[in-house]
Amino acid sequence: MAKNSAKIGVLLVNLGTPDSTKTSDVRKYLREFLMDWRVIDFPFIPRWMLVNLIIAPFRAPKSAGEYRKLWTDRGSPLLFHTQDLKDKLIKKLDPEKYLVAMAMRYQNPSIEKGLAELMKAKVKKIIVLPLFPQYASATNGSVIDRVMEIARDWQIIPEITFVSNYVDHPLFLEAWTELGREAMQKHDYDKFLFSYHGLPERQIRKGSVEGYCKLGACCNKYGLKNQFCYRAQCFQTTRLVAEKLGLPEDKVMTCFQSRLGKDPWIKPYTEDTIKELAKEGVKKVLVFSPAFVADCLETTVEVGEEYKEQFEELGGEHWDLVPSLNSNDTWVECVKDLVESRS
């Protein structure tokens, strides 16, 4: 490729993180995050009142304390793991052909800043890769929505390609398999739990094709009608990773964490699953969190600490968390392939 020819821009987008663990910064982050109509799909006025008068004021101090448990000398793990992924990806891609930027859907660095960096370099095409393996309107859909909102004001809009999901990409599955095998050397586990971030049931129904989604056994098969059903994608991820690890079906469970509010969310809930395991006398559990490609509050603190404490209080002996993909070399190769296959 000629040195003066236009490059292809790549934008890696993760969820976001507060700028610091100060309560004011956490409150600012929560307000931006939860005011997204794809996250809390209420009309504007009730959503504004819920977020700004109830959730953000009362939840921010507690969340700030949780972020302090997570923060390191490098700052927010979600941010620096994404930076590490970007740095490794740059070394893997042809520098004469690609320019890589990163962004957070909420807070900093913003999607607007990431796109501006690519447009300043006069790229001929932009590949947007949301770092959410399973498609959901509240994650991938929100990233796509924001990119399109920004781009519609440009005089010149280059070709823009979005990667919507990659639940069955061989290298994505292999990366989780590698991490799983390493973790499985610690104990002979009784159960293997796959815990995904939850969503309100109403959001699944909104995306149902021809009324296919029943929020139950329909997720046992993955096909055309539920290829964009978040719950079905999660069950598919579990099946494929468990198969590669050679895990017996009766030892594998899929569940959903991080509920917010009183409306029903997709089931089974992780908290309820933990109670069931304790009643069955299960002592050793290995947990995967394949909805998260970088360690963050939901993995390190919620699954790794809070659920561990709950399990041990109920009589469990070992609750171990498989780390997220972060900048795992096989995961980097997966991202490289996702980019090159869309170039």
Side-chain angles (χ1 to χ4, degrees):
M1 185 174 180
K3 287 188 177 181
N4 293 326
S5 60
K7 295 182 181 181
I8 296 172
V10 178
L11 185 65
L12 304 176
V13 187
N14 216 324
L15 184 69
T17 180
D19 290 334
S20 77
T21 59
K22 294 179 181 178
T23 300
S24 57
D25 282 337
V26 174
R27 185 181 297 113
K28 182 180 178 182
Y29 168 73
L30 288 175
R31 281 177 172 155
E32 183 181 355
F33 172 38
L34 298 175
M35 277 304 294
D36 185 342
W37 71 273
R38 287 183 178 270
V39 174
I40 297 183
D41 51 341
F42 293 171
F44 178 80
I45 292 177
R47 182 170 76 250
W48 189 95
M49 294 177 67
L50 176 66
V51 172
N52 291 282
L53 301 181
I54 300 175
I55 299 178
F58 292 100
R59 188 170 177 177
K62 180 182 177 182
S63 293
E66 299 298 297
Y67 275 110
R68 291 186 194 107
K69 298 177 185 177
L70 186 71
W71 232 248
T72 72
D73 292 339
R74 293 185 66 191
S76 166
L78 185 141
L79 183 62
F80 69 70
H81 284 311
T82 305
Q83 179 68 54
D84 291 346
L85 173 64
K86 173 193 168 184
D87 292 344
K88 282 192 173 184
L89 180 64
I90 289 172
K91 293 177 181 178
K92 292 284 185 179
L93 293 172
D94 182 351
E96 298 297 329
K97 186 175 180 180
Y98 296 97
L99 177 65
V100 183
M102 63 171 272
M104 297 287 141
R105 173 60 185 89
Y106 312 104
Q107 298 297 287
N108 301 302
S110 68
I111 290 178
E112 190 169 18
K113 181 179 179 181
L115 289 173
E117 178 184 339
L118 298 178
M119 291 299 287
K120 185 178 180 181
K122 299 178 176 61
V123 297
K124 64 181 179 182
K125 176 178 180 177
I126 297 174
I127 300 172
V128 180
L129 176 54
L131 295 173
F132 313 106
Q134 301 84 18
Y135 177 89
S137 173
T139 51
N140 310 59
S142 180
V143 169
I144 294 168
D145 200 5
R146 181 60 180 145
V147 169
M148 293 171 70
E149 180 183 16
I150 294 168
R152 74 184 179 192
D153 291 330
W154 295 345
Q155 188 65 35
I156 297 173
I157 302 177
E159 178 183 351
I160 302 177
T161 299
F162 299 96
V163 180
S164 59
N165 71 48
Y166 34 95
V167 294
D168 51 5
H169 192 288
L171 291 173
F172 169 71
L173 300 172
E174 182 58 34
W176 276 111
T177 303
E178 288 176 8
L179 294 170
R181 285 198 190 105
E182 184 177 347
M184 286 166 63
Q185 295 176 8
K186 295 179 182 178
H187 302 287
D188 290 325
Y189 292 97
D190 304 318
K191 293 284 185 179
F192 299 89
L193 209 62
F194 287 73
S195 182
Y196 299 83
H197 200 290
L199 284 176
E201 289 184 351
R202 67 177 180 274
Q203 292 188 10
I204 299 294
R205 290 195 176 94
K206 281 183 179 181
S208 178
V209 176
E210 299 173 1
Y212 182 82
C213 293
K214 305 299 181 185
L215 296 166
C218 52
C219 291
N220 293 338
K221 291 184 179 180
Y222 186 58
L224 287 176
K225 288 189 177 181
N226 63 1
Q227 63 179 317
F228 287 107
C229 169
Y230 175 76
R231 188 174 185 271
Q233 291 172 81
C234 292
F235 276 90
Q236 176 73 346
T237 303
T238 296
R239 283 191 294 269
L240 294 175
V241 174
E243 182 180 301
K244 286 182 69 68
L245 285 169
L247 304 179
E249 285 187 24
D250 62 346
K251 288 191 174 185
V252 177
M253 304 179 76
T254 296
C255 50
F256 300 90
Q257 64 186 80
S258 310
R259 281 181 290 166
L260 176 66
K262 296 182 180 180
D263 288 348
W265 282 44
I266 51 178
K267 302 177 183 67
Y269 300 141
T270 303
E271 298 96 322
D272 293 346
T273 302
I274 292 171
K275 294 174 184 176
E276 291 173 14
L277 293 174
K279 288 180 181 178
E280 294 173 6
V282 172
K283 299 297 182 183
K284 301 175 183 179
V285 175
L286 182 63
V287 190
F288 295 77
S289 292
F292 306 95
V293 299
D295 277 317
C296 55
L297 195 68
E298 287 82 1
T299 60
T300 304
V301 176
E302 187 173 14
V303 178
E305 296 181 13
E306 294 175 3
Y307 289 159
K308 176 183 175 71
E309 182 179 342
Q310 181 182 346
F311 181 65
E312 291 177 346
E313 286 178 353
L314 293 171
E317 296 175 0
H318 292 287
W319 175 275
D320 296 321
L321 173 64
V322 177
S324 292
L325 301 180
N326 297 324
S327 57
N328 168 277
D329 288 341
T330 304
W331 166 231
V332 176
E333 289 292 338
C334 175
V335 175
K336 174 176 179 284
D337 185 70
L338 288 169
V339 169
E340 291 181 337
S341 65
R342 287 161 174 80
S343 299

